[in-house]
Amino acid sequence: IRMGCLITPLFFFLSPLIAEALGDGRTLPALLFFAPCVLTVGVSSVYDGYFFGQGRALPPALSEGAEQLARIGVLAALAFLIPRVTVAYRAALPALASSVGETVGLIVILLQAGSIPSFRRHPDEKKVRRQLTRLSAPLLLNRLCHTALRSLCGIVIPLRLMAAGYGKPEALSQFGMFNGMVMPLMFLPGMVSGALSTVGGPAVARCGTKKAERRLILRLLLSALGTGVLCAILLCLLSPVISRYFYRLPELSPLIRLACPLAVVLPLQQVSGGMMTGLGLQKHSLGASLLGSAALLLCTWQWLPRMGISGAAYASIVGHGLTLFCEMVYLISRTRNKDL
């Protein structure tokens, strides 16, 4: 709550600068509507972690379901009631719906918790704060790394496309095709791998022996691998149908097929990251993410002028693949020793 109350006004204040850095002032309304999510997501995440740590997945699931239903309902209602608005505010409607959905999800999980957050000081607050900082700092930096990576890609990709000779509208259109159409398809296995990661992390932490750790990690990784491979095959086979009938852009089909390896790499990376958190390897996970992000940005910078938007797909495969490789090395080294 304290961090949210600090960051939310700061986000409001910095939104015009962020919109300018993104290269399109029309993103400002969406940024402003997203700002309340900082506080609501922060508090909801604390309760999610509390329930998952207890092995109770139902309360967070009900909260997430209520959030998504509210988000879809509000967005549909706004689109129906306000059919004619400027492009900037039309793009901001999903942000507004997200803020409403997050608030509904928070209310649902607070009702299940049976209490509201308290501002009373803990007797050992300083000690607890040090423990929380030590445990969460690497995870926080990891999340910031992913957020910064998405923001930088939103700036770098259009710039490098313009360096290749594209006009600004065409460069932004190409970026929108990749980031707003292709990448969401690659994250589809995350519906399964996200659940595996969230529930599996605490489960691995509760394992008493290396043998139990190895068995559980192997099962989770194989489940993520199977889900990713199946999704990649389906996306590859159905790419003409998806591009023609869903996006109405037949030229998108080759880019979807090109990015299909990400549908395998991303769920594996998500599960391996959750396992590393459960094993207390947050610092190693942060190092792997930083290395992969640096490789992704470097490849994006070098390849886009020569390959066009296809270079972004190749760069993403290399960057996320390098992160996954490093995390797998850490996991193998952590669990290879036999029990004493």
Side-chain angles (χ1 to χ4, degrees):
I1 290 174
R2 292 170 183 168
M3 293 179 64
C5 290
L6 174 66
I7 295 174
T8 300
L10 183 63
F11 192 92
F12 270 113
F13 178 74
L14 294 177
S15 289
L17 297 177
I18 297 173
E20 185 177 350
L22 291 173
D24 194 335
R26 294 175 298 178
T27 59
L28 179 58
L31 292 170
L32 294 175
F33 283 138
F34 264 130
C37 292
V38 175
L39 178 60
T40 53
V41 170
V43 178
S44 296
S45 298
V46 172
Y47 279 92
D48 287 347
Y50 167 72
F51 283 115
F52 283 125
Q54 290 188 327
R56 298 169 58 190
L58 182 59
L62 293 176
S63 172
E64 179 72 17
E67 173 200 330
Q68 296 300 335
L69 287 175
R71 182 189 308 223
I72 295 171
V74 169
L75 182 57
L78 290 173
F80 179 75
L81 296 174
I82 316 175
R84 294 181 181 180
V85 291
T86 63
V87 173
Y89 283 95
R90 193 181 307 160
L93 292 181
L96 178 58
S98 295
S99 293
V100 175
E102 293 290 353
T103 303
V104 171
L106 174 60
I107 293 172
V108 170
I109 204 165
L110 286 176
L111 290 174
Q112 294 176 93
S115 64
I116 61 173
S118 173
F119 286 94
R120 290 178 299 175
R121 290 187 176 273
H122 191 278
D124 300 321
E125 181 172 353
K126 291 184 178 180
K127 180 180 178 181
V128 172
R129 187 181 298 170
R130 286 195 298 269
Q131 291 175 335
L132 290 174
T133 302
R134 177 176 56 83
L135 291 170
S136 63
L139 294 175
L140 171 63
L141 293 174
N142 204 340
R143 293 291 179 87
L144 289 175
C145 174
H146 286 297
T147 301
L149 178 63
R150 288 195 297 269
S151 300
L152 287 172
C153 284
I155 297 170
V156 170
I157 291 177
L159 285 177
R160 298 306 287 167
L161 288 173
M162 286 188 284
Y166 290 88
K168 184 176 180 179
E170 189 178 2
L172 291 173
S173 175
Q174 291 282 308
F175 171 69
M177 288 171 56
F178 176 72
N179 199 58
M181 298 180 180
V182 175
M183 287 305 294
L185 295 174
M186 301 305 119
F187 283 112
L188 284 176
M191 292 186 290
V192 175
S193 61
L196 294 175
S197 174
T198 303
V199 178
V204 169
R206 291 193 294 265
C207 289
T209 63
K210 290 275 184 27
K211 183 178 180 180
E213 287 178 359
R214 288 194 296 269
R215 186 183 299 116
L216 180 57
I217 290 173
L218 181 61
R219 287 171 57 190
L220 291 170
L221 288 174
L222 287 176
S223 298
L225 177 63
T227 303
V229 170
L230 177 61
C231 189
I233 293 173
L234 290 175
L235 287 174
C236 187
L237 295 175
L238 297 177
S239 59
V241 177
I242 295 171
S243 58
R244 181 178 298 275
Y245 295 103
F246 287 91
Y247 290 132
R248 299 180 183 178
L249 290 172
E251 64 271 21
L252 194 64
S253 181
L255 188 59
I256 295 175
R257 290 197 298 268
L258 183 63
C260 277
L262 285 171
V264 180
V265 173
L266 289 173
L268 284 172
Q269 182 187 339
Q270 193 171 21
V271 170
S272 63
M275 299 305 99
M276 292 186 69
T277 300
L279 293 172
L281 300 173
Q282 297 97 320
K283 293 182 180 179
H284 298 82
S285 181
L286 173 60
S289 293
L290 289 173
L291 184 61
S293 298
L296 193 157
L297 287 173
L298 179 62
C299 292
T300 299
W301 186 269
Q302 293 292 331
W303 293 347
L304 252 70
R306 297 197 303 268
M307 302 180 182
I309 197 61
S310 298
Y314 286 120
S316 297
I317 294 170
V318 171
H320 289 292
L322 181 59
T323 299
L324 174 62
F325 175 77
C326 293
E327 289 181 345
M328 293 301 297
V329 170
Y330 290 134
L331 284 175
I332 292 172
S333 62
R334 171 67 171 78
T335 59
R336 68 181 177 183
N337 296 325
K338 296 183 178 180
D339 297 315
L340 297 177

